[in-house]
Amino acid sequence: MNVQKLLKNKFFLYSLTLVAGILIGKALACLYATQDGRAKEETTLSDEEITQMWTCSMHPQIRQHKAGKCPLCAMELIAVKTSESPSAAADPDAIALSDEAAALADVRTAVVRRSAPVKEIHLYGTIKPNERLLRSLVAHVAGRIETLAVNYNGENVRKGQVVATVYSPDLLNAQQELFEAKKIEAAQPALLAAAREKLRLLKLDDKQIDALEKAEHLSSVTDVRATAGGIVVAKGVKEGDYVAQGDVLFELIDLSSVWAVFDAYEADAPYLKTGDEVEYRLQMLPGKTFSGKIAFIEPTVDKTSRTVRIRVETPNPRLELKPEMYADATVKIKLDEKAIVIPKTAALWTGKRSIAYVKRREGNIPSFKVREIELGALPGDEYIVLSGLDEGEEIAVSGVFAIDAAAQLEGKRSMMNMGEGREAVMTVQGLCDMCRQRIEKAAASAGGVSSARWESETKALHLRYDGDKTSPDVISKAIADAGHDTDKHKADDAIYNSLPDCCKYRDQDVKYPF
């Protein structure tokens, strides 16, 4: 009964209506605020998606604006941040790296300069006897060895030293002729001179011949004297042996000068020339350095070791250098021309070509762009650059592989896709065979495209193109101008609307990243 009275009371109804209105207003305000926050959140996510790309770890040429599966291998795509700001790198082929990213990748740069490079060549070899100082002591008369004054290898022989005595019938006959000529010297002086000359031909000196003239009896033996000094390296006779005229009694070597013979690889041989100074060290004499000049370079290459022999003559007055010692040498060759040089860590070699990454500053942060270069010799730790770089340019000299890996992940020019014959895959929207013909024709119109094949099921366009004439961005733009959306460009609405109805792919239940 009290409730009915309250419901009939108009002041109570007014108050109840007012409270309900306030509550409903607050609820609507909360709802609008939530929707506005969600809209702002969606807008923020959309802005992030502008700089967020997705790629395949196995096929880095695949790039999409949304997560999904790779159209080639069906692997899950991974997120790759193409740049920190839209204006970070104006050049589409440049790789933008912030200071923090460069520090993490240990990227360091240096300025390209000109210098007169010095090439160091390391050689290995052994000490050899100087072949010009090899001597043989021979028997100048036939006979029998009566005594030997030199009995073992390694003995030092002086020039003029008696090395053996020989009994020789020929020498007895020559002495007899000398005695007879001496008797008639007054009447026939020429006969005495002839007899003396015959003894000289048997390698007797004037002192020996004078002694024979004064002797009262014939001598059956004669001394054999060394005609040169040196170390005995071979003994060819022993006492009691019969020798003929010209038989070798001893082999001698003079070690006052030796050869250091080194093997130079055929790649280093062109830089060596006679007269170059060579410094070398010996394992047997640590701490000592010897030097000499290249006296001879063999004109042939050893077919087994692919080396060229280099001969260095060195004085050896103290006989410290012994044959067959191991030696290692260093030759410093100054290249005449001032050339552009870069550290060898700055160049990446692909087998067919070499590249370097040049630092650029476009937009807010630095970037690096790949540059094909032609390398020359490698003197020391620096390459000579024949073409591709100019003095004063700044290049990456450390962390180059990290920069190249980032370029590959973003589908940009790198060491793996330089020059003619590059391959790329991009996603292009379409439905029918007419779309296929239009897409492939538009791709070919970009120039430099040798083949273009579009798959309607996977929406993947497989390209082979000349990187010096075109790029994936140019090809993608040409396809978008023909009315088909790609993972890089969106077709203009007017062009799209002019397509036949069978090609209207946007009418399908597909969510596009644009």
Side-chain angles (χ1 to χ4, degrees):
M1 191 70 178
N2 293 332
V3 175
Q4 291 178 355
K5 288 182 177 180
L6 288 174
L7 293 175
K8 291 180 179 181
N9 190 327
K10 60 181 180 181
F11 294 106
F12 175 76
L13 292 176
Y14 293 156
S15 300
L16 184 62
T17 302
L18 179 61
V19 171
I22 292 173
L23 293 175
I24 292 173
K26 288 185 177 182
L28 290 175
C30 291
L31 179 61
Y32 291 149
T34 302
Q35 290 178 348
D36 184 60
R38 288 179 180 176
K40 290 182 179 179
E41 182 179 359
E42 290 176 359
T43 302
T44 303
L45 292 176
S46 178
D47 290 339
E48 289 181 355
E49 288 176 356
I50 293 176
T51 58
Q52 186 70 53
M53 296 296 294
W54 300 79
T55 187
C56 175
S57 58
M58 295 296 292
H59 302 91
Q61 67 269 27
I62 299 298
R63 299 173 67 218
Q64 295 184 5
H65 290 276
K66 61 179 180 178
K69 294 183 179 295
C70 174
L72 299 182
C73 63
M75 290 181 63
E76 291 292 337
L77 299 181
I78 59 175
V80 176
K81 201 168 187 180
T82 59
S83 63
E84 296 193 2
S85 66
S87 60
D91 194 322
D93 284 333
I95 303 299
L97 287 179
S98 64
D99 294 338
E100 294 79 5
L104 289 174
D106 192 26
V107 175
R108 295 191 298 272
T109 62
V111 177
V112 177
R113 59 184 175 84
R114 287 184 180 272
S115 69
V118 176
K119 181 175 179 62
E120 286 192 1
I121 300 177
H122 299 281
L123 305 173
Y124 300 92
T126 55
I127 301 299
K128 298 290 184 183
N130 188 335
E131 295 178 5
R132 295 193 183 97
L133 302 179
L134 287 172
R135 298 289 185 268
S136 295
L137 299 185
V138 300
H140 297 288
V141 293
R144 182 181 67 246
I145 302 297
E146 292 294 322
T147 60
L148 282 177
V150 176
N151 294 295
Y152 55 88
N153 292 340
E155 190 170 351
N156 190 16
V157 174
R158 301 180 310 277
K159 184 177 180 180
Q161 176 184 339
V162 176
V163 295
T165 57
V166 179
Y167 164 75
S168 172
D170 293 340
L171 184 59
L172 284 174
N173 293 334
Q175 289 183 60
Q176 183 66 45
E177 292 177 3
L178 179 64
F179 282 174
E180 295 299 329
K182 182 67 175 175
K183 294 177 182 179
I184 59 174
E185 178 183 4
Q188 296 288 339
L191 289 178
L192 179 62
R196 291 177 64 89
E197 184 62 26
K198 187 174 182 179
L199 290 171
R200 289 192 189 95
L201 294 175
L202 296 177
K203 293 302 180 182
L204 271 68
D205 56 28
D206 289 339
K207 186 181 293 188
Q208 290 175 298
I209 296 172
D210 291 341
L212 290 176
E213 280 189 35
K214 297 176 182 178
E216 297 180 356
H217 303 284
L218 297 177
S219 175
S220 60
V221 296
T222 185
D223 293 334
V224 178
R225 296 181 180 274
T227 56
I231 305 297
V232 177
V233 294
K235 186 168 73 77
V237 294
K238 57 185 182 295
E239 289 184 1
D241 286 349
Y242 280 86
V243 294
Q245 188 175 13
D247 285 353
V248 177
L249 304 180
F250 303 98
E251 292 281 357
L252 302 180
I253 179 105
D254 185 357
L255 296 179
S256 61
S257 174
V258 295
W259 289 349
V261 179
F262 299 98
D263 292 326
Y265 290 109
E266 55 184 327
D268 294 330
Y271 297 97
L272 300 171
K273 61 182 182 297
T274 55
D276 286 343
E277 190 76 20
V278 178
E279 292 185 350
Y280 60 92
R281 294 153 298 279
L282 303 166
Q283 295 181 6
M284 190 172 176
L285 299 172
K288 289 189 176 183
T289 301
F290 299 85
S291 63
K293 293 185 177 181
I294 297 178
F296 181 72
I297 301 175
E298 287 193 358
T300 58
V301 177
D302 186 276
K303 65 179 181 180
T304 302
S305 62
R306 310 307 305 170
T307 57
V308 176
R309 287 207 160 186
I310 308 298
R311 182 192 304 163
V312 177
E313 289 190 7
T314 304
N316 187 29
R318 298 181 181 178
L319 303 183
E320 292 179 296
L321 304 178
K322 297 175 172 43
E324 302 307 323
M325 279 183 170
Y326 283 110
D328 60 277
T330 301
V331 185
K332 295 182 178 181
I333 308 296
K334 291 184 178 180
L335 303 182
D336 296 334
E337 299 181 5
K338 282 196 171 184
I340 292 179
V341 296
I342 61 172
K344 65 180 182 180
T345 56
L348 296 180
W349 184 63
T350 67
K352 293 183 179 180
R353 58 181 62 87
S354 301
I355 64 170
Y357 276 91
V358 181
K359 186 176 182 181
R360 305 157 60 91
R361 184 165 288 279
E362 298 176 347
N364 302 329
I365 59 177
S367 62
F368 293 87
K369 185 174 180 180
V370 67
R371 178 87 59 81
E372 185 172 346
I373 60 177
E374 183 180 359
L375 297 179
L378 178 62
D381 294 330
E382 294 181 321
Y383 276 114
I384 294 177
V385 179
L386 302 179
S387 64
L389 289 175
D390 294 323
E391 184 179 6
E393 290 188 296
E394 190 174 1
I395 60 172
V397 297
S398 175
V400 184
F401 275 107
I403 299 175
D404 194 79
Q408 293 180 41
L409 286 175
E410 295 186 19
K412 298 183 178 182
R413 296 183 69 192
S414 67
M415 66 181 291
M416 301 303 292
N417 59 7
M418 289 290 295
E420 187 175 357
R422 301 185 199 172
E423 294 183 356
V425 179
M426 66 176 64
T427 302
V428 181
Q429 302 300 330
L431 295 175
C432 60
D433 188 65
M434 190 181 299
C435 293
R436 178 186 62 78
Q437 296 179 11
R438 188 182 303 108
I439 292 170
E440 293 177 355
K441 182 178 180 180
S445 68
V449 177
S450 57
S451 67
R453 180 173 57 85
W454 182 73
E455 297 176 352
S456 59
E457 295 181 358
T458 61
K459 312 300 182 187
L461 175 63
H462 299 265
L463 296 167
R464 179 177 287 275
Y465 64 97
D466 185 345
D468 294 332
K469 298 179 179 179
T470 188
S471 67
D473 283 343
V474 174
I475 300 171
S476 173
K477 183 65 168 58
I479 295 172
D481 290 343
H484 291 269
D485 296 341
T486 72
D487 52 9
K488 299 175 181 291
H489 298 89
K490 180 182 179 181
D492 184 79
D493 291 340
I495 300 176
Y496 172 79
N497 293 331
S498 65
L499 296 177
D501 292 340
C502 63
C503 300
K504 298 290 183 61
Y505 50 86
R506 291 180 184 173
D507 295 338
Q508 306 296 316
D509 187 16
V510 178
K511 184 179 180 181
Y512 299 101
F514 306 104

